[in-house]
């Protein structure tokens, strides 16, 4: 008779991703009635509540290390909260019930509900510096791109590695005043831009995918989002590189006092040390790789992606749910 392993011997297993997708589906479905209605707080509140309820049934002993509470002043899914049913693997859990609350509120594409999970203690602590300068691309960029190089040099190197003209390269960038010069430099190099309002997790995943029209995602965005993206990148075999970007002298000093090297390049294996990481996302509004929630007669259809780094598996999950029988 097989002995029951101690919890410390257990690791997140192959079934975990398919359990987690129920939580992202729930958050996406509950956020959908608020799409285009201009109230991002109501959308986020509904998604947070739904995700938390479904996470309570997942077989894991999870600790939220990147949560909703601190970022959006929400009462649940805060850093340090225990999630799951308390059995099975001890996990770091990163949640973003809506990556793109403004996209949801304004009815724009690219809003996702996201969960990332890895072995306990393996996710980078993002608390010292909220922003990070990031570069994300697919497997062709491994050993080729370097965030320390000028953007034009990285574009040309990636184009050579992919065997395409520079003019075929498309770069996703958050449309922010801080990126005006970066956008100009991308265009001066001969590449095209895809300017996004929000949702740099979706942009990073798109850049790392083998079948995407986006080749590269660059610019300054959230450090928590960088760690979540790293879980996806590890499964997709791509590249993420980041450097902490303090927003002011006070945050810079806080980072230095915490022992951070602000010149260090943080890659996917620094941001998530475990090779057993999961990335699960469900579309709220349609993005480049999954459709948003849609109604089909009496059914609600949700599309999701489930990535696991250990196996390199990419699963696309389409769920049709009877609205009169589905609930949170």
């Amino acid at each position: 008779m097989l002995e029951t392993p101690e919890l410390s011997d257990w690791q997140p297993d192959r079934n975990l991703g398919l359990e987690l997708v129920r939580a992202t589906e729930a958050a996406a479905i509950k956020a959908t009635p608020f799409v285009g209605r201009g109230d991002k707080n109501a959308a986020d509140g509904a998604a947070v509540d739904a995700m938390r309820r479904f996470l309570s049934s997942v077989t894991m002993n999870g600790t939220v290390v990147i949560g909703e509470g601190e970022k959006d002043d929400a009462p649940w899914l805060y850093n340090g909260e225990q999630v799951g049913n308390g059995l099975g693997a001890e996990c770091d859990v990163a949640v973003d019930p809506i990556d793109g609350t403004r996209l949801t509120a304004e009815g724009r594409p690219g809003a996702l509900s996201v969960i990332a999970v890895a072995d306990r203690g393996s996710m980078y602590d993002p608390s010292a510096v909220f922003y990070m300068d990031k570069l994300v691309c697919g497997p062709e960029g491994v050993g080729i791109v370097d965030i320390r190089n000028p953007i034009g040099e990285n574009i040309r190197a990636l184009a050579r590695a992919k065997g395409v003209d520079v003019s075929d390269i498309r770069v996703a960038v958050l449309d922010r005043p801080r990126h005006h010069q970066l956008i100009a430099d991308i265009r001066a190099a001969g590449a095209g831009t895809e300017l996004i309002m929000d949702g740099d997790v979706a942009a990073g995943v798109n850049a790392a995918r083998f079948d995407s029209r986006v080749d590269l995602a660059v610019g300054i965005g959230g450090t928590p989002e960088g760690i979540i993206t790293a879980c996806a990148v590890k499964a997709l075999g791509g590249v993420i590189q980041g450097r902490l970007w303090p927003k002011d002298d006070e945050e810079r000093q806080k980072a230095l006092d915490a022992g951070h090297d602000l010149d260090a390049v943080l890659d996917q294996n620094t941001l998530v040390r475990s090779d057993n990481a999961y990335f699960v996302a469900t579309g709220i509004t349609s993005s480049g790789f999954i459709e948003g929630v849609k109604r089909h007669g009496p059914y609600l259809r949700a599309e999701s992606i489930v990535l696991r780094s250990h196996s390199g598996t990419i699963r696309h999950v389409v769920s049709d749910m009877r609205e009169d029988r589905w609930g949170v």
Side-chain angles (χ1 to χ4, degrees):
M1 184 175 181
L2 293 176
E3 294 183 3
T4 301
E6 297 294 327
L7 288 183
S8 59
D9 295 331
W10 292 0
Q11 294 184 344
D13 68 19
R14 68 186 66 187
N15 297 319
L16 181 58
L18 297 179
E19 287 195 65
L20 293 171
V21 78
R22 294 172 60 246
T24 56
E25 284 176 348
I29 288 170
K30 285 298 188 180
T32 296
F34 299 95
V35 170
R37 290 175 56 184
D39 190 344
K40 66 179 185 179
N41 291 331
D44 198 54
V48 169
D49 182 65
M51 178 175 282
R52 184 172 184 267
R53 287 171 182 264
F54 271 78
L55 276 177
S56 67
S57 67
V58 174
T59 303
M60 67 176 179
N61 185 3
T63 301
V64 176
V65 297
I66 296 174
E68 186 73 2
E70 286 74 6
K71 181 165 67 74
D72 290 324
D73 196 28
W76 304 117
L77 296 179
Y78 53 83
N79 286 9
E81 183 174 355
Q82 300 300 301
V83 293
N85 64 10
L87 302 175
E90 295 188 0
C91 305
D92 284 350
V93 181
V95 300
D96 200 346
I98 302 180
D99 178 54
T101 52
R102 184 165 59 146
L103 301 177
T104 301
E106 297 185 6
R108 297 178 183 270
L112 307 173
S113 178
V114 180
I115 299 174
V117 171
D119 293 311
R120 185 76 183 107
S122 63
M123 287 188 182
Y124 185 85
D125 181 1
S127 60
V129 179
F130 185 78
Y131 287 107
M132 174 186 288
D133 188 14
K134 290 175 278 192
L135 177 153
V136 187
C137 65
E140 298 89 348
V142 175
I144 299 296
V145 297
D146 190 327
I147 195 172
R148 294 166 293 192
N149 293 338
I151 186 61
E153 186 174 328
N154 279 321
I155 288 170
R156 290 186 289 272
L158 186 60
R160 287 193 298 270
K162 298 186 82 164
V164 300
D165 292 335
V166 167
S167 60
D168 291 324
I169 297 292
R170 183 174 295 178
V171 185
V173 190
L174 281 168
D175 191 4
R176 300 287 190 273
R178 62 178 179 262
H179 291 149
H180 284 173
Q181 186 58 53
L182 175 61
I183 291 166
D185 291 343
I186 291 167
R187 292 170 176 170
T193 56
E194 181 168 299
L195 302 183
I196 57 175
M197 175 182 289
D198 286 300
D200 62 345
V201 171
V205 175
N206 254 332
R209 287 171 51 241
F210 68 91
D211 55 351
S212 172
R213 183 61 188 88
V214 175
D215 303 282
L216 193 62
V218 296
I220 297 160
T223 302
E225 287 81 357
I227 297 165
I228 292 171
T229 303
C231 289
V233 168
K234 287 173 76 77
L236 294 168
V239 176
I240 180 170
Q241 297 176 352
R243 290 185 294 186
L244 297 177
W245 193 82
K247 63 181 182 294
D248 53 34
D249 289 339
E250 180 181 353
E251 193 173 60
R252 174 180 291 274
Q253 191 58 53
K254 178 183 175 183
L256 293 174
D257 291 344
H260 291 289
D261 180 356
L262 298 180
D263 294 321
V265 175
L266 309 174
D267 65 9
Q268 57 266 31
N269 295 317
T270 307
L271 296 171
V272 183
R273 296 191 303 276
S274 170
D275 190 40
N276 196 28
Y278 292 82
F279 173 92
V280 179
T282 300
I284 299 172
T285 60
S286 298
S287 68
F289 55 98
I290 45 178
E291 294 294 313
V293 175
K294 291 183 172 62
R295 187 183 302 279
H296 292 269
Y299 291 89
L300 294 172
R301 173 170 292 180
E303 293 196 12
S304 307
I305 188 169
V306 180
L307 309 176
R308 186 186 182 204
S309 66
H310 183 70
S311 59
T313 306
I314 305 170
R315 285 189 170 88
H316 295 272
V317 179
V318 178
S319 301
D320 288 324
M321 290 160 278
R322 279 281 297 269
E323 189 173 12
D324 60 344
R325 298 185 183 182
W326 184 92
V328 177

